[in-house]
Structure formats: structure tokens, C-alpha cells
Amino acid sequence: MPSEFDLIYRHFAHLGAGPAVELSVGDDCAILKLEPGERLVTSVDTLVEGVHFLPDTFPEIIGYRAVATAVSDLAAMGARPLGMTIALTLPDADEFWVHSFSQGLAEAVSEYSLPLVGGDTTRGPLTVSVQVMGAVHADQALLRSGAQVGDAVYVSGTLGDAAGGLAFLQDEWRPSPDAAAYLVERHERPTARLALGQQLLAVATATIDISDGLLADAGHIAAASGVAIELESAALPISPALAEAGERATTWALTGGDDYELCFTLPVGVPAPEGCVRIGTVVVGEGVRVDADIDTGAGYQHF
């Protein structure tokens, strides 16, 4: 059976090169470079088998998805990626599994220009924790706390696809084959909207990535900004694939989570980036309101 260090050097050491990396895998700490006037931003996300991914999920999908979901937090801050570390807990040192997992990591490293600069491995129930690090200029980070009354509320992409894909995988509904393939892809391989986050730096008043569902995450903006948000259910961007679910499509778009699209607010008159749709307005009050028969406190609950 390979040792911990055999696994690290064989499958992960080559993923550590990047323009901001001075020292990577092989020493006690990595060394990353910041440009003058930049600040470090960092976030960590954990995926647990049976909670965040199904037990029979392919390891390369787990690897890619673990990175993409963590990178989405950098996108929500408008950050430039610097590097990441991974803590990998494995039931046993299955080298085939680790190799496949590293292939998914390699794809994400390339797509997001985010080198793997360190981490840890240990034995236990299958768990993947990814810490991402990025850089923002000192006065430009996107926050949740800047929404103002009168701002327009937007989202990128389409909503509810990941929830629809998961429902199909759990045999809870049967869309057409093409729709099923699209929705499963959206669930297993989310896209972190890094480029959009960069576009929003100069214009957005508040931003968040949608991980726990639109209602829950828009609620975080409302709470942090001391305002209320009114959403229009008819304006929600729903893909043709998800539309096959009928009324459930709206529910999944509002509460499903795992889409990792960006929800953001813009002052009136500021044009939204291409591919983004206005879905509501910032108003006086607190919480989130929506013109649909749904619990506005719904969304993913971690406990």
C-alpha cells in the first residue's frame, strides 16, 4: 500500500505551478506572492460523502466539483485566484481512486488557473476540504453588505438545474434523456463565475454565490445590508431542461442550491453583464419576499 507521501508526490505535486507561487508542495508551507496594494482573501469548503455527493460518484467528478464550489467564493468576492490547499480524508489508500480524483483536480487547476500548493491526507470517512486563496485590490472587494434600497437584483445563468439533476440521480423524477444529461452535468460540474465577479467589481453593490438556494442566499445579502429583497418568480431564469419539471422548476430555482451562480445588486441605470437577468428589487424592510406560495425560509440547511 502506498504511503501518504507516495500518494502526494505521485498524484498532486505536479499541480502546484502558478505565477503567484514561490514555494509549493514539498515544504511545510506554501509561499504566495501578492501584488502591491492587494489583500489576501480566503475561504474553505468541505464535501462529505453521502451529504454533498452521492456514494457512487466518480472520483474525478468529486475532485472537479470540490474545487469549483470553493472557487465560487472567490468569484463572489471578485478575487484573482492565487492557489488552493486540499485536506483529503480517505477510507483507505486506493491509488486508482486517488489517480482519478487527481484528474478532476488537474482539470479544475487548469480551468481556474488555481494551483494546488499544499494540503493533507488522513484516514477516515471520505471527505474533501478545499481552501482557496485569492487577491483583491485593497478597496475593491465585493461584499454582501452594500445593497441599497432601490437597487435591482440580478442573477447569472439559470437557477434550479443542480437540484433537478440531483432529483433525477435520486430517481425522484424522469426528464427526457437530453434534459437529464444537461441537469446532471450542471449538478456534478458547476461553473464558478470568476470572470463575472471581475466584471462586477466596479459596479455591484453586493454579491453572493448561490450555494444554499436563492431564497437563503439572497437573505444573506438582505441581512448583511439591512434591507429587504423582493423577488419576482416569473422573472427567474429557468433552463428548458428544468422547465420539464413544471411547477417544481420554480421551487427548485428558489430553494434548490448548488447552482453556484452569482446573485448581485446594481444601482438603477447600471447595465447588467451579458447573461444576467433581473429578478427583483431591494426595498425597505428585512428578509426576502417572493410572489410564490413557498416558505421564504427554505433552502439548504447544514444542520
Side-chain angles (χ1 to χ4, degrees), residues 70-292:
V71 172
S72 184
D73 288 331
L74 295 182
M77 299 290 288
R80 173 175 67 89
L82 294 176
M84 65 176 170
T85 61
I86 290 180
L88 180 60
T89 303
L90 296 168
D92 53 66
D94 181 339
E95 187 151 9
F96 176 78
W97 192 98
V98 173
H99 173 72
S100 297
F101 176 80
S102 73
Q103 297 301 107
L105 288 186
E107 187 178 350
V109 164
S110 174
E111 182 167 340
Y112 297 116
S113 299
L114 189 74
L116 176 64
V117 299
D120 190 29
T121 58
T122 190
R123 182 188 295 272
L126 181 57
T127 305
V128 185
S129 293
V130 177
Q131 182 177 38
V132 291
M133 291 157 282
V136 293
H137 287 290
D139 58 351
Q140 278 197 319
L142 296 171
L143 304 175
R144 302 176 181 182
S145 54
Q148 302 291 316
V149 173
D151 285 353
V153 182
Y154 289 86
V155 291
S156 62
T158 55
L159 301 180
D161 293 331
L166 179 60
F168 167 73
L169 290 172
Q170 294 178 321
D171 205 26
E172 295 176 1
W173 78 301
R174 306 299 294 180
S176 67
D178 286 348
Y182 173 82
L183 297 172
V184 168
E185 178 80 359
R186 288 274 285 157
H187 168 69
E188 294 183 336
R189 299 174 59 82
T191 299
R193 303 297 184 182
L194 280 173
L196 176 59
Q198 296 284 318
Q199 285 182 268
L200 294 175
L201 274 172
V203 293
T205 53
T207 308
I208 194 171
D209 71 322
I210 301 174
S211 57
D212 295 336
L214 176 63
L215 287 178
D217 290 317
H220 295 320
I221 288 180
S225 299
V227 296
I229 289 178
E230 289 185 346
L231 300 176
E232 303 167 20
S233 60
L236 297 174
I238 292 174
S239 68
L242 192 70
E244 292 186 12
E247 293 182 359
R248 284 183 294 179
T250 299
T251 299
W252 285 334
L254 288 168
T255 67
D258 270 353
D259 286 312
Y260 298 97
E261 299 292 347
L262 295 186
C263 175
F264 57 96
T265 55
L266 294 177
V268 173
V270 174
E274 184 178 355
C276 299
V277 175
R278 180 171 179 171
I279 59 167
T281 306
V282 179
V283 298
V284 174
E286 60 183 29
V288 178
R289 310 163 193 163
V290 62
D291 57 345

